[in-house]
Amino acid sequence: MAPLKFCANISWLFTEMPEFTQRMRAAARAGFRAVEAAWIYTADLKELKAVKDETGLEFALINTPPGDLNAGDLGLGAVPGREQEFRQGLDLAVRFAKALDCRRIHLMAGRVPAGAERSAVAMEMEDTFVQNLKHAAGVLSKEGILGLIEPINTRITDPQYFLHSPHQAAVILQRVSHPSIRMQMDIYHWQIMDGNLTQNIRKYLPMTVNDTSGQKQPCIAEEDLSITSRLYICRSAGHIQIAQVPDRHEPDSDGELSFSYLFKLLEELDYQDYIGCEYKPQGSTEAGLDWFTRYWSSYK
């Protein structure tokens, strides 16, 4: 089994330093080979690219712009009436992703509008999200970029967020039915909303398809996929993020989850893409990286 690969989320880690470029250098010094970030759109793209080239870091993931944070936005993908803004934000995200050779974009769903009942607007928001995701699939497939949708828990993190469970995401992905749009598995959010992590990981992680003999085969080109195989791929996770529950600290901090077990499970399932470290360090970022050092030491 190959060791897992971790990337530093520089919107959460190394925030002792104000600039994303400083955080990138710090991540590289700490031994990370890749970074991810939420919103990097206020940074100078040329400087980001220069530091990426200088350090040899990969960019694993960025988010689409959130909209107007001051007005309560947190993504626009499922927000009715904001379709044009979503498309403009997608175009900006693609421009940054191409410049940074980033192959994954988190397409943020957004919040239930203030004052609205979730049950009253759920179907309209789902329809909006599906249409926006179909548009995104057409854009991203031409660029070789994977679009991801991430369920965010509504019990602790954001009560108004529209997309809140892996099963809700699976329904939406089935409606979109395009291999360029997949699920983002944030273990922190999944544990809070649904638990049952072992079975959910086994259900949604596979990046292979079943052939007619029942054997698993690597994913193949879209034009060669049956409808059943395409749906299987779409429902599969295309990225993973981690944090301890409930306080969202380092994986080895006190909490509900045994990451030694979860890491072994992901190894057994042959997960080979990056795992984003999206947690709040209890102290300095560097002081909290003992778990990272121990993991890599076990493979030396």
Side-chain angles (χ1 to χ4, degrees), residues 152-170:
I152 293 176
N153 82 81
T154 54
R155 291 178 172 154
I156 296 176
T157 300
D158 196 323
Q160 292 301 107
Y161 203 75
F162 170 68
L163 186 66
H164 56 81
S165 84
H167 315 300
Q168 178 193 14

Side-chain angles (χ1 to χ4, degrees), residues 37-167:
W39 308 301
I40 56 174
Y41 303 108
T42 58
D44 185 285
L45 183 54
K46 290 183 179 179
E47 290 182 8
L48 291 173
K49 187 177 186 308
V51 175
K52 174 186 176 297
D53 293 341
E54 166 198 322
T55 58
L57 286 169
E58 295 180 52
F59 248 94
L61 172 79
I62 60 174
N63 291 358
T64 48
D68 187 346
L69 288 170
N70 293 328
D73 292 337
L74 193 65
L76 301 173
V79 183
R82 308 286 294 276
E83 291 86 352
Q84 187 58 37
E85 293 173 76
F86 170 80
R87 293 187 179 198
Q88 291 170 349
L90 175 65
D91 290 343
L92 178 62
V94 168
R95 182 165 70 86
F96 269 70
K98 288 174 65 176
L100 298 171
D101 196 25
C102 176
R103 296 300 170 189
R104 286 170 176 77
I105 296 176
H106 169 203
L107 307 166
M108 299 198 72
R111 291 172 168 149
V112 174
E117 289 290 334
R118 181 182 293 271
S119 59
V121 298
M123 199 66 248
E124 182 184 11
M125 292 190 73
E126 181 178 309
D127 289 343
T128 299
F129 203 19
V130 168
Q131 292 307 310
N132 279 333
L133 291 175
K134 287 182 176 181
H135 168 78
V139 172
L140 297 177
S141 61
K142 294 176 183 177
E143 304 293 349
I145 297 173
L146 196 62
L148 302 168
I149 63 172
E150 178 188 13
I152 293 176
N153 82 81
T154 54
R155 291 178 172 154
I156 296 176
T157 300
D158 196 323
Q160 292 301 107
Y161 203 75
F162 170 68
L163 186 66
H164 56 81
S165 84
H167 315 300

Side-chain angles (χ1 to χ4, degrees), residues 86-293:
F86 170 80
R87 293 187 179 198
Q88 291 170 349
L90 175 65
D91 290 343
L92 178 62
V94 168
R95 182 165 70 86
F96 269 70
K98 288 174 65 176
L100 298 171
D101 196 25
C102 176
R103 296 300 170 189
R104 286 170 176 77
I105 296 176
H106 169 203
L107 307 166
M108 299 198 72
R111 291 172 168 149
V112 174
E117 289 290 334
R118 181 182 293 271
S119 59
V121 298
M123 199 66 248
E124 182 184 11
M125 292 190 73
E126 181 178 309
D127 289 343
T128 299
F129 203 19
V130 168
Q131 292 307 310
N132 279 333
L133 291 175
K134 287 182 176 181
H135 168 78
V139 172
L140 297 177
S141 61
K142 294 176 183 177
E143 304 293 349
I145 297 173
L146 196 62
L148 302 168
I149 63 172
E150 178 188 13
I152 293 176
N153 82 81
T154 54
R155 291 178 172 154
I156 296 176
T157 300
D158 196 323
Q160 292 301 107
Y161 203 75
F162 170 68
L163 186 66
H164 56 81
S165 84
H167 315 300
Q168 178 193 14
V171 170
I172 290 169
L173 291 173
Q174 185 163 331
R175 290 186 63 189
V176 176
S177 184
H178 197 292
S180 290
I181 308 294
R182 293 187 189 163
M183 197 183 304
Q184 185 164 313
M185 179 192 295
D186 189 312
I187 287 175
Y188 170 79
H189 295 303
W190 284 29
Q191 168 67 6
I192 292 170
M193 290 303 295
D194 200 65
N196 195 28
L197 283 176
T198 299
Q199 296 308 315
N200 280 336
I201 289 171
R202 290 187 183 278
K203 180 176 182 179
Y204 292 116
L205 182 65
M207 300 293 285
T208 55
V209 297
N210 292 322
D211 64 19
T212 54
S213 67
Q215 299 298 309
K216 289 186 175 181
Q217 301 293 340
C219 294
I220 50 180
E222 180 187 356
E223 58 269 17
D224 296 328
L225 295 175
S226 68
I227 294 297
T228 301
S229 297
R230 187 180 295 116
L231 294 180
Y232 185 84
I233 291 175
C234 293
R235 290 175 57 169
S236 297
H239 189 64
I240 295 175
Q241 292 175 323
I242 57 170
Q244 184 58 274
V245 179
D247 295 324
R248 208 167 187 174
H249 294 316
E250 288 88 346
D252 63 345
S253 62
D254 289 340
E256 299 174 15
L257 300 180
S258 168
F259 274 94
S260 60
Y261 168 80
L262 292 173
F263 290 163
K264 288 178 183 177
L265 176 62
L266 294 173
E267 290 171 355
E268 290 170 5
L269 294 173
D270 198 29
Y271 179 74
Q272 297 179 4
D273 291 314
Y274 282 107
I275 297 173
C277 302
E278 190 183 59
Y279 60 78
K280 297 180 291 186
Q282 292 177 294
S284 72
T285 301
E286 188 173 355
L289 288 175
D290 286 350
W291 70 270
F292 179 65
T293 303

Side-chain angles (χ1 to χ4, degrees), residues 2-20:
L4 302 174
K5 302 188 302 181
F6 299 95
C7 64
N9 189 307
I10 54 175
S11 296
W12 292 74
L13 304 188
F14 304 105
T15 56
E16 301 90 344
M17 305 167 196
E19 302 294 334
F20 281 122

